Amino acid sequence: MLQILRAKLHGIHVTGCVLDYHGSITLDPEQCALAGIYPLEFVNIWNKNSGQRISTYVIYGEAGSRCCILNGAAARTCQQGDELIISAVEYVNGPKDIYARKPVVLTFDAGNAVLERLRYVVGGEESGEFTFNVVEEPM
């Protein structure tokens, strides 16, 4: 089994940190739907400001809120305004399965509005050599 990227929120900003909570990250369900990230799904979080890396599960906040709130122990790893990369992964049987996958990547502005919806596309199946392209999709 090979773990690969399935969806990514790139450059989303922390809108809050709530220490006294059961734990998780609260995200806008509209943005999650656009990327294909589900409630209770575990995600990897990388803080571009501090270098902290954590894993936690997603809960949905208010639709349209553009929220990105770290809860519980995760709240200790970030500060409001920090820029994050959040990734969801999947497992495939082997390298040949990568060709069929086209992970969704959303990029964000400072107010957490989605700037772009991208796909990572791996090609080269015919030659057996991997190629990589970033393709912009209409939103």
Side-chain angles (χ1 to χ4, degrees):
M1 297 296 283
L2 183 66
Q3 183 181 27
I4 65 169
L5 179 70
R6 187 178 57 70
K8 182 168 79 165
L9 307 179
H10 189 95
I12 193 166
H13 293 80
V14 175
T15 60
C17 299
V18 181
L19 183 60
D20 294 323
Y21 192 78
H22 296 285
S24 63
I25 185 168
T26 305
L27 296 170
D28 183 327
E30 292 176 351
Q31 293 176 333
C32 287
L34 191 58
I37 296 175
Y38 305 103
L40 303 182
E41 179 174 14
F42 267 82
V43 292
N44 299 303
I45 302 169
W46 303 300
N47 186 324
K48 291 176 70 176
N49 294 78
S50 70
Q52 286 277 1
R53 293 172 171 249
I54 62 168
S55 174
T56 192
Y57 60 94
V58 172
I59 61 172
Y60 284 174
E62 182 180 337
S65 66
R66 299 180 182 171
C67 65
C68 178
I69 303 167
L70 281 293
N71 303 305
R76 295 267 189 213
T77 68
C78 298
Q79 295 182 21
Q80 190 166 337
D82 282 358
E83 191 174 350
L84 307 180
I85 298 169
I86 300 171
S87 72
V89 300
E90 69 177 306
Y91 290 91
V92 296
N93 288 324
K96 291 185 179 193
D97 293 332
I98 293 172
Y99 296 114
R101 303 306 195 274
K102 294 174 179 50
V104 175
V105 178
L106 302 181
T107 65
F108 295 85
D109 69 11
N112 283 351
V114 176
L115 291 174
E116 303 169 295
R117 185 171 193 258
L118 309 170
R119 292 273 184 173
Y120 287 171
V121 179
V122 174
E125 186 171 11
E126 305 78 29
S127 68
E129 295 186 20
F130 291 112
T131 61
F132 180 80
N133 290 293
V134 178
V135 178
E136 189 169 350
E137 286 192 333
M139 291 198 299

